[in-house]
Amino acid sequence: PLADTVARARDLDKTAVARLVALFEDTRPPAVADRAAVMAALDDREPATVLGFTGTPGSGKSTLIAG
């Protein structure tokens, strides 16, 4: 089922993405193995650029990104 969740998340299934986010936020010890399995399933992914937008509340971060 975990491999299926990863495959659905790659197809942008919102429920699958939410389940994977919850898995990575889970601090219980059994989740460690599941997180490792997800990372292994994503080993074939292409590198991506990640940008972070920070600033004080009301500074227009969301407007900048949405525009």
Short mmCIF file of all heavy atoms in Angstrom, two decimals:
data_model
loop_
_atom_site.label_atom_id
_atom_site.label_comp_id
_atom_site.label_asym_id
_atom_site.label_seq_id
_atom_site.Cartn_x
_atom_site.Cartn_y
_atom_site.Cartn_z
N PRO A 1 0.80 -1.21 0.00
CA PRO A 1 0.00 0.00 0.00
C PRO A 1 0.85 1.28 0.00
O PRO A 1 0.45 2.27 -0.56
CB PRO A 1 -0.83 -0.09 1.27
CG PRO A 1 -0.84 -1.53 1.65
CD PRO A 1 0.40 -2.11 1.06
N LEU A 2 2.03 1.25 0.64
CA LEU A 2 2.87 2.44 0.69
C LEU A 2 3.38 2.80 -0.70
O LEU A 2 3.39 3.96 -1.09
CB LEU A 2 4.02 2.24 1.65
CG LEU A 2 4.81 3.47 2.04
CD1 LEU A 2 3.90 4.55 2.59
CD2 LEU A 2 5.88 3.13 3.05
N ALA A 3 3.77 1.80 -1.47
CA ALA A 3 4.23 2.04 -2.84
C ALA A 3 3.10 2.63 -3.68
O ALA A 3 3.33 3.50 -4.52
CB ALA A 3 4.76 0.76 -3.47
N ASP A 4 1.88 2.17 -3.44
CA ASP A 4 0.72 2.70 -4.15
C ASP A 4 0.48 4.17 -3.77
O ASP A 4 0.17 5.00 -4.62
CB ASP A 4 -0.52 1.87 -3.82
CG ASP A 4 -1.76 2.36 -4.53
OD1 ASP A 4 -1.71 2.51 -5.77
OD2 ASP A 4 -2.77 2.62 -3.85
N THR A 5 0.65 4.49 -2.50
CA THR A 5 0.49 5.87 -2.04
C THR A 5 1.53 6.77 -2.70
O THR A 5 1.21 7.88 -3.14
CB THR A 5 0.60 5.95 -0.51
OG1 THR A 5 -0.38 5.09 0.07
CG2 THR A 5 0.39 7.36 -0.01
N VAL A 6 2.76 6.31 -2.79
CA VAL A 6 3.81 7.08 -3.44
C VAL A 6 3.48 7.29 -4.91
O VAL A 6 3.60 8.40 -5.44
CB VAL A 6 5.19 6.40 -3.29
CG1 VAL A 6 6.24 7.08 -4.14
CG2 VAL A 6 5.61 6.39 -1.83
N ALA A 7 3.03 6.24 -5.58
CA ALA A 7 2.67 6.35 -7.00
C ALA A 7 1.53 7.34 -7.20
O ALA A 7 1.56 8.17 -8.12
CB ALA A 7 2.29 4.98 -7.55
N ARG A 8 0.52 7.28 -6.34
CA ARG A 8 -0.59 8.22 -6.46
C ARG A 8 -0.16 9.64 -6.17
O ARG A 8 -0.63 10.59 -6.80
CB ARG A 8 -1.74 7.79 -5.54
CG ARG A 8 -2.43 6.53 -6.04
CD ARG A 8 -3.67 6.10 -5.25
NE ARG A 8 -4.06 6.94 -4.16
CZ ARG A 8 -3.97 6.59 -2.87
NH1 ARG A 8 -3.48 5.44 -2.52
NH2 ARG A 8 -4.39 7.43 -1.94
N ALA A 9 0.76 9.82 -5.21
CA ALA A 9 1.27 11.15 -4.90
C ALA A 9 2.03 11.72 -6.09
O ALA A 9 1.93 12.92 -6.38
CB ALA A 9 2.17 11.11 -3.66
N ARG A 10 2.77 10.88 -6.79
CA ARG A 10 3.47 11.33 -7.99
C ARG A 10 2.50 11.78 -9.08
O ARG A 10 2.84 12.61 -9.91
CB ARG A 10 4.36 10.22 -8.53
CG ARG A 10 5.61 10.03 -7.74
CD ARG A 10 6.47 8.98 -8.35
NE ARG A 10 7.84 9.19 -7.94
CZ ARG A 10 8.86 8.52 -8.40
NH1 ARG A 10 8.67 7.60 -9.31
NH2 ARG A 10 10.07 8.77 -7.97
N ASP A 11 1.30 11.21 -9.04
CA ASP A 11 0.26 11.62 -9.99
C ASP A 11 -0.55 12.80 -9.45
O ASP A 11 -1.60 13.13 -9.98
CB ASP A 11 -0.67 10.45 -10.30
CG ASP A 11 0.00 9.38 -11.13
OD1 ASP A 11 0.96 9.71 -11.86
OD2 ASP A 11 -0.43 8.21 -11.05
N LEU A 12 -0.06 13.40 -8.37
CA LEU A 12 -0.65 14.59 -7.74
C LEU A 12 -2.00 14.34 -7.07
O LEU A 12 -2.82 15.25 -6.96
CB LEU A 12 -0.74 15.75 -8.74
CG LEU A 12 0.57 16.12 -9.41
CD1 LEU A 12 0.36 17.28 -10.37
CD2 LEU A 12 1.64 16.47 -8.39
N ASP A 13 -2.22 13.11 -6.59
CA ASP A 13 -3.42 12.81 -5.82
C ASP A 13 -3.28 13.49 -4.46
O ASP A 13 -2.37 13.19 -3.69
CB ASP A 13 -3.54 11.29 -5.66
CG ASP A 13 -4.73 10.87 -4.84
OD1 ASP A 13 -4.82 11.26 -3.66
OD2 ASP A 13 -5.60 10.16 -5.38
N LYS A 14 -4.18 14.42 -4.17
CA LYS A 14 -4.07 15.22 -2.94
C LYS A 14 -4.14 14.38 -1.68
O LYS A 14 -3.45 14.66 -0.70
CB LYS A 14 -5.16 16.29 -2.92
CG LYS A 14 -4.95 17.37 -3.94
CD LYS A 14 -6.06 18.40 -3.87
CE LYS A 14 -5.87 19.46 -4.94
NZ LYS A 14 -6.93 20.46 -4.91
N THR A 15 -4.97 13.34 -1.68
CA THR A 15 -5.09 12.48 -0.51
C THR A 15 -3.78 11.74 -0.25
O THR A 15 -3.33 11.64 0.89
CB THR A 15 -6.24 11.47 -0.69
OG1 THR A 15 -7.45 12.20 -0.91
CG2 THR A 15 -6.40 10.59 0.53
N ALA A 16 -3.17 11.24 -1.31
CA ALA A 16 -1.90 10.52 -1.17
C ALA A 16 -0.80 11.46 -0.68
O ALA A 16 0.00 11.10 0.19
CB ALA A 16 -1.51 9.88 -2.50
N VAL A 17 -0.76 12.67 -1.22
CA VAL A 17 0.24 13.65 -0.77
C VAL A 17 0.02 13.95 0.71
O VAL A 17 0.98 13.98 1.49
CB VAL A 17 0.17 14.93 -1.62
CG1 VAL A 17 1.05 16.03 -1.02
CG2 VAL A 17 0.57 14.65 -3.06
N ALA A 18 -1.21 14.13 1.12
CA ALA A 18 -1.52 14.42 2.52
C ALA A 18 -1.09 13.28 3.43
O ALA A 18 -0.54 13.50 4.51
CB ALA A 18 -3.01 14.69 2.69
N ARG A 19 -1.28 12.05 2.98
CA ARG A 19 -0.87 10.90 3.80
C ARG A 19 0.64 10.84 3.94
O ARG A 19 1.16 10.50 5.01
CB ARG A 19 -1.41 9.61 3.19
CG ARG A 19 -2.89 9.49 3.39
CD ARG A 19 -3.45 8.20 2.96
NE ARG A 19 -4.90 8.26 3.15
CZ ARG A 19 -5.72 7.29 2.88
NH1 ARG A 19 -5.26 6.17 2.39
NH2 ARG A 19 -7.00 7.44 3.09
N LEU A 20 1.36 11.18 2.88
CA LEU A 20 2.82 11.17 2.97
C LEU A 20 3.32 12.31 3.86
O LEU A 20 4.27 12.12 4.62
CB LEU A 20 3.44 11.25 1.58
CG LEU A 20 3.24 10.01 0.71
CD1 LEU A 20 3.87 10.21 -0.65
CD2 LEU A 20 3.77 8.77 1.38
N VAL A 21 2.68 13.46 3.79
CA VAL A 21 3.06 14.56 4.68
C VAL A 21 2.84 14.14 6.13
O VAL A 21 3.70 14.35 6.99
CB VAL A 21 2.25 15.85 4.35
CG1 VAL A 21 2.43 16.89 5.44
CG2 VAL A 21 2.68 16.40 3.00
N ALA A 22 1.70 13.52 6.40
CA ALA A 22 1.41 13.05 7.76
C ALA A 22 2.45 12.03 8.22
O ALA A 22 2.87 12.03 9.37
CB ALA A 22 0.01 12.45 7.82
N LEU A 23 2.88 11.15 7.31
CA LEU A 23 3.88 10.15 7.64
C LEU A 23 5.20 10.82 8.05
O LEU A 23 5.84 10.42 9.01
CB LEU A 23 4.12 9.22 6.45
CG LEU A 23 5.24 8.21 6.60
CD1 LEU A 23 4.91 7.20 7.69
CD2 LEU A 23 5.50 7.50 5.29
N PHE A 24 5.59 11.86 7.32
CA PHE A 24 6.85 12.52 7.64
C PHE A 24 6.75 13.41 8.88
O PHE A 24 7.76 13.77 9.46
CB PHE A 24 7.37 13.30 6.43
CG PHE A 24 8.10 12.41 5.47
CD1 PHE A 24 7.42 11.67 4.52
CD2 PHE A 24 9.48 12.27 5.55
CE1 PHE A 24 8.09 10.82 3.65
CE2 PHE A 24 10.16 11.42 4.69
CZ PHE A 24 9.46 10.70 3.74
N GLU A 25 5.55 13.74 9.29
CA GLU A 25 5.36 14.50 10.53
C GLU A 25 5.22 13.59 11.74
O GLU A 25 5.30 14.05 12.88
CB GLU A 25 4.13 15.40 10.42
CG GLU A 25 4.31 16.54 9.45
CD GLU A 25 3.07 17.40 9.32
OE1 GLU A 25 1.96 16.93 9.65
OE2 GLU A 25 3.21 18.55 8.88
N ASP A 26 5.00 12.30 11.50
CA ASP A 26 4.80 11.32 12.56
C ASP A 26 6.11 11.08 13.30
O ASP A 26 7.12 10.71 12.70
CB ASP A 26 4.30 10.01 11.95
CG ASP A 26 3.85 9.00 12.97
OD1 ASP A 26 4.11 9.19 14.18
OD2 ASP A 26 3.23 7.99 12.57
N THR A 27 6.11 11.29 14.60
CA THR A 27 7.34 11.14 15.39
C THR A 27 7.44 9.77 16.06
O THR A 27 8.43 9.49 16.74
CB THR A 27 7.42 12.23 16.48
OG1 THR A 27 6.27 12.12 17.32
CG2 THR A 27 7.50 13.61 15.86
N ARG A 28 6.45 8.92 15.85
CA ARG A 28 6.50 7.60 16.48
C ARG A 28 7.56 6.72 15.80
O ARG A 28 7.75 6.79 14.58
CB ARG A 28 5.14 6.93 16.40
CG ARG A 28 4.07 7.68 17.21
CD ARG A 28 2.71 7.08 17.03
NE ARG A 28 2.30 7.33 15.64
CZ ARG A 28 1.15 6.92 15.13
NH1 ARG A 28 0.31 6.22 15.86
NH2 ARG A 28 0.84 7.19 13.87
N PRO A 29 8.25 5.89 16.58
CA PRO A 29 9.33 5.05 16.02
C PRO A 29 8.92 4.18 14.82
O PRO A 29 9.72 4.04 13.89
CB PRO A 29 9.76 4.20 17.22
CG PRO A 29 9.45 5.06 18.41
CD PRO A 29 8.18 5.79 18.03
N PRO A 30 7.72 3.59 14.78
CA PRO A 30 7.39 2.76 13.63
C PRO A 30 7.37 3.53 12.28
O PRO A 30 7.53 2.94 11.22
CB PRO A 30 5.99 2.22 13.94
CG PRO A 30 5.87 2.32 15.42
CD PRO A 30 6.68 3.52 15.81
N ALA A 31 7.20 4.83 12.35
CA ALA A 31 7.14 5.63 11.12
C ALA A 31 8.50 5.76 10.45
O ALA A 31 8.58 6.04 9.26
CB ALA A 31 6.57 7.01 11.42
N VAL A 32 9.57 5.52 11.19
CA VAL A 32 10.92 5.66 10.64
C VAL A 32 11.13 4.73 9.45
O VAL A 32 11.63 5.14 8.40
CB VAL A 32 11.99 5.41 11.73
CG1 VAL A 32 13.38 5.40 11.15
CG2 VAL A 32 11.88 6.45 12.83
N ALA A 33 10.74 3.49 9.58
CA ALA A 33 10.90 2.51 8.49
C ALA A 33 10.04 2.90 7.29
O ALA A 33 10.48 2.76 6.13
CB ALA A 33 10.53 1.12 8.97
N ASP A 34 8.84 3.39 7.54
CA ASP A 34 7.97 3.81 6.44
C ASP A 34 8.56 5.00 5.70
O ASP A 34 8.50 5.07 4.47
CB ASP A 34 6.57 4.14 6.95
CG ASP A 34 5.80 2.90 7.36
OD1 ASP A 34 6.16 1.79 6.91
OD2 ASP A 34 4.83 3.03 8.12
N ARG A 35 9.13 5.94 6.44
CA ARG A 35 9.76 7.09 5.79
C ARG A 35 10.94 6.65 4.93
O ARG A 35 11.12 7.15 3.82
CB ARG A 35 10.21 8.12 6.83
CG ARG A 35 9.05 8.87 7.46
CD ARG A 35 9.52 10.08 8.22
NE ARG A 35 10.36 9.78 9.36
CZ ARG A 35 9.91 9.56 10.60
NH1 ARG A 35 8.62 9.61 10.85
NH2 ARG A 35 10.75 9.32 11.58
N ALA A 36 11.71 5.71 5.43
CA ALA A 36 12.84 5.19 4.65
C ALA A 36 12.34 4.51 3.38
O ALA A 36 12.95 4.65 2.31
CB ALA A 36 13.66 4.22 5.50
N ALA A 37 11.24 3.80 3.47
CA ALA A 37 10.67 3.13 2.30
C ALA A 37 10.19 4.15 1.27
O ALA A 37 10.37 3.96 0.06
CB ALA A 37 9.52 2.21 2.72
N VAL A 38 9.60 5.23 1.73
CA VAL A 38 9.15 6.29 0.81
C VAL A 38 10.36 6.92 0.12
O VAL A 38 10.36 7.10 -1.10
CB VAL A 38 8.33 7.37 1.55
CG1 VAL A 38 8.10 8.58 0.66
CG2 VAL A 38 7.01 6.80 2.03
N MET A 39 11.39 7.23 0.88
CA MET A 39 12.58 7.83 0.27
C MET A 39 13.23 6.88 -0.74
O MET A 39 13.70 7.31 -1.79
CB MET A 39 13.58 8.23 1.36
CG MET A 39 13.07 9.36 2.25
SD MET A 39 12.55 10.84 1.33
CE MET A 39 14.12 11.40 0.71
N ALA A 40 13.24 5.59 -0.44
CA ALA A 40 13.79 4.61 -1.38
C ALA A 40 12.95 4.56 -2.65
O ALA A 40 13.49 4.43 -3.76
CB ALA A 40 13.86 3.24 -0.72
N ALA A 41 11.64 4.68 -2.50
CA ALA A 41 10.75 4.65 -3.67
C ALA A 41 10.94 5.90 -4.53
O ALA A 41 10.62 5.88 -5.72
CB ALA A 41 9.30 4.54 -3.22
N LEU A 42 11.46 6.96 -3.95
CA LEU A 42 11.67 8.21 -4.68
C LEU A 42 13.11 8.37 -5.19
O LEU A 42 13.48 9.42 -5.67
CB LEU A 42 11.31 9.40 -3.79
CG LEU A 42 9.85 9.50 -3.38
CD1 LEU A 42 9.66 10.62 -2.37
CD2 LEU A 42 8.96 9.71 -4.60
N ASP A 43 13.91 7.31 -5.07
CA ASP A 43 15.32 7.39 -5.47
C ASP A 43 15.52 7.75 -6.93
O ASP A 43 16.56 8.29 -7.30
CB ASP A 43 16.04 6.07 -5.18
CG ASP A 43 16.87 6.15 -3.92
OD1 ASP A 43 16.99 7.24 -3.35
OD2 ASP A 43 17.42 5.11 -3.52
N ASP A 44 14.56 7.45 -7.77
CA ASP A 44 14.71 7.71 -9.21
C ASP A 44 14.27 9.11 -9.61
O ASP A 44 14.27 9.45 -10.78
CB ASP A 44 13.93 6.68 -10.01
CG ASP A 44 12.43 6.77 -9.78
OD1 ASP A 44 12.01 7.36 -8.75
OD2 ASP A 44 11.67 6.26 -10.61
N ARG A 45 13.94 9.92 -8.64
CA ARG A 45 13.45 11.27 -8.96
C ARG A 45 14.58 12.15 -9.50
O ARG A 45 15.75 11.94 -9.19
CB ARG A 45 12.82 11.91 -7.74
CG ARG A 45 13.81 12.23 -6.63
CD ARG A 45 13.11 12.54 -5.34
NE ARG A 45 14.03 12.91 -4.30
CZ ARG A 45 14.72 12.06 -3.57
NH1 ARG A 45 14.60 10.78 -3.78
NH2 ARG A 45 15.54 12.48 -2.63
N GLU A 46 14.19 13.14 -10.27
CA GLU A 46 15.15 14.10 -10.79
C GLU A 46 15.36 15.20 -9.76
O GLU A 46 14.45 15.53 -8.99
CB GLU A 46 14.62 14.70 -12.09
CG GLU A 46 14.52 13.68 -13.21
CD GLU A 46 14.09 14.31 -14.52
OE1 GLU A 46 14.36 15.50 -14.73
OE2 GLU A 46 13.49 13.60 -15.33
N PRO A 47 16.54 15.80 -9.75
CA PRO A 47 16.78 16.89 -8.80
C PRO A 47 15.82 18.05 -9.04
O PRO A 47 15.40 18.30 -10.16
CB PRO A 47 18.22 17.32 -9.10
CG PRO A 47 18.83 16.19 -9.85
CD PRO A 47 17.70 15.50 -10.56
N ALA A 48 15.49 18.73 -7.97
CA ALA A 48 14.57 19.86 -8.07
C ALA A 48 15.16 21.06 -7.34
O ALA A 48 15.95 20.92 -6.41
CB ALA A 48 13.22 19.51 -7.45
N THR A 49 14.76 22.22 -7.77
CA THR A 49 15.15 23.45 -7.09
C THR A 49 14.06 23.80 -6.09
O THR A 49 12.88 23.78 -6.42
CB THR A 49 15.32 24.60 -8.10
OG1 THR A 49 16.31 24.23 -9.05
CG2 THR A 49 15.72 25.88 -7.41
N VAL A 50 14.45 24.10 -4.88
CA VAL A 50 13.50 24.47 -3.84
C VAL A 50 13.77 25.90 -3.43
O VAL A 50 14.90 26.28 -3.11
CB VAL A 50 13.63 23.54 -2.61
CG1 VAL A 50 12.68 23.96 -1.51
CG2 VAL A 50 13.40 22.09 -3.01
N LEU A 51 12.73 26.72 -3.47
CA LEU A 51 12.84 28.12 -3.06
C LEU A 51 12.02 28.34 -1.81
O LEU A 51 10.94 27.78 -1.67
CB LEU A 51 12.32 29.04 -4.16
CG LEU A 51 13.02 28.99 -5.51
CD1 LEU A 51 12.30 29.87 -6.50
CD2 LEU A 51 14.46 29.42 -5.36
N GLY A 52 12.51 29.16 -0.92
CA GLY A 52 11.76 29.51 0.27
C GLY A 52 11.50 31.01 0.30
O GLY A 52 12.38 31.81 -0.04
N PHE A 53 10.29 31.38 0.63
CA PHE A 53 9.92 32.79 0.72
C PHE A 53 9.60 33.10 2.17
O PHE A 53 8.71 32.49 2.75
CB PHE A 53 8.71 33.10 -0.17
CG PHE A 53 9.02 33.04 -1.63
CD1 PHE A 53 8.95 31.84 -2.32
CD2 PHE A 53 9.43 34.17 -2.30
CE1 PHE A 53 9.26 31.78 -3.67
CE2 PHE A 53 9.75 34.13 -3.65
CZ PHE A 53 9.66 32.92 -4.34
N THR A 54 10.34 34.02 2.75
CA THR A 54 10.11 34.38 4.14
C THR A 54 9.88 35.88 4.24
O THR A 54 10.22 36.65 3.34
CB THR A 54 11.32 34.01 5.02
OG1 THR A 54 12.46 34.76 4.59
CG2 THR A 54 11.64 32.53 4.93
N GLY A 55 9.30 36.28 5.32
CA GLY A 55 9.07 37.70 5.56
C GLY A 55 8.05 37.90 6.66
O GLY A 55 7.40 36.96 7.11
N THR A 56 7.92 39.12 7.06
CA THR A 56 6.98 39.45 8.12
C THR A 56 5.55 39.30 7.61
O THR A 56 5.30 39.37 6.40
CB THR A 56 7.20 40.90 8.60
OG1 THR A 56 7.05 41.77 7.47
CG2 THR A 56 8.57 41.07 9.20
N PRO A 57 4.61 39.09 8.52
CA PRO A 57 3.22 38.99 8.10
C PRO A 57 2.78 40.26 7.35
O PRO A 57 3.13 41.38 7.74
CB PRO A 57 2.46 38.86 9.43
CG PRO A 57 3.45 38.28 10.38
CD PRO A 57 4.77 38.86 9.96
N GLY A 58 2.08 40.06 6.26
CA GLY A 58 1.57 41.19 5.49
C GLY A 58 2.56 41.78 4.51
O GLY A 58 2.29 42.81 3.89
N SER A 59 3.70 41.14 4.35
CA SER A 59 4.72 41.71 3.45
C SER A 59 4.51 41.36 1.99
O SER A 59 5.25 41.84 1.14
CB SER A 59 6.12 41.26 3.90
OG SER A 59 6.25 39.86 3.78
N GLY A 60 3.52 40.52 1.67
CA GLY A 60 3.19 40.23 0.29
C GLY A 60 3.77 38.93 -0.27
O GLY A 60 3.87 38.77 -1.49
N LYS A 61 4.14 38.02 0.60
CA LYS A 61 4.72 36.75 0.13
C LYS A 61 3.74 35.99 -0.76
O LYS A 61 4.09 35.55 -1.85
CB LYS A 61 5.11 35.88 1.32
CG LYS A 61 6.19 36.49 2.22
CD LYS A 61 6.48 35.64 3.42
CE LYS A 61 5.31 35.47 4.36
NZ LYS A 61 4.87 36.65 5.08
N SER A 62 2.53 35.82 -0.31
CA SER A 62 1.53 35.07 -1.08
C SER A 62 1.20 35.78 -2.39
O SER A 62 1.02 35.15 -3.43
CB SER A 62 0.25 34.87 -0.27
OG SER A 62 0.52 34.07 0.86
N THR A 63 1.13 37.09 -2.36
CA THR A 63 0.87 37.86 -3.57
C THR A 63 1.99 37.68 -4.57
O THR A 63 1.76 37.50 -5.77
CB THR A 63 0.70 39.36 -3.23
OG1 THR A 63 -0.37 39.48 -2.29
CG2 THR A 63 0.38 40.16 -4.46
N LEU A 64 3.22 37.69 -4.11
CA LEU A 64 4.37 37.49 -4.98
C LEU A 64 4.32 36.11 -5.64
O LEU A 64 4.53 35.99 -6.84
CB LEU A 64 5.66 37.64 -4.18
CG LEU A 64 6.96 37.34 -4.92
CD1 LEU A 64 7.19 38.41 -6.01
CD2 LEU A 64 8.12 37.28 -3.97
N ILE A 65 4.03 35.10 -4.86
CA ILE A 65 4.02 33.73 -5.38
C ILE A 65 2.83 33.51 -6.31
O ILE A 65 2.97 32.86 -7.34
CB ILE A 65 4.00 32.72 -4.20
CG1 ILE A 65 5.31 32.81 -3.44
CG2 ILE A 65 3.78 31.32 -4.70
CD1 ILE A 65 5.32 32.08 -2.13
N ALA A 66 1.68 34.06 -5.98
CA ALA A 66 0.47 33.84 -6.79
C ALA A 66 0.52 34.63 -8.10
O ALA A 66 -0.14 34.27 -9.06
CB ALA A 66 -0.76 34.26 -6.01
N GLY A 67 1.29 35.70 -8.13
CA GLY A 67 1.33 36.57 -9.29
C GLY A 67 2.10 35.97 -10.38
O GLY A 67 1.99 35.97 -11.51
#
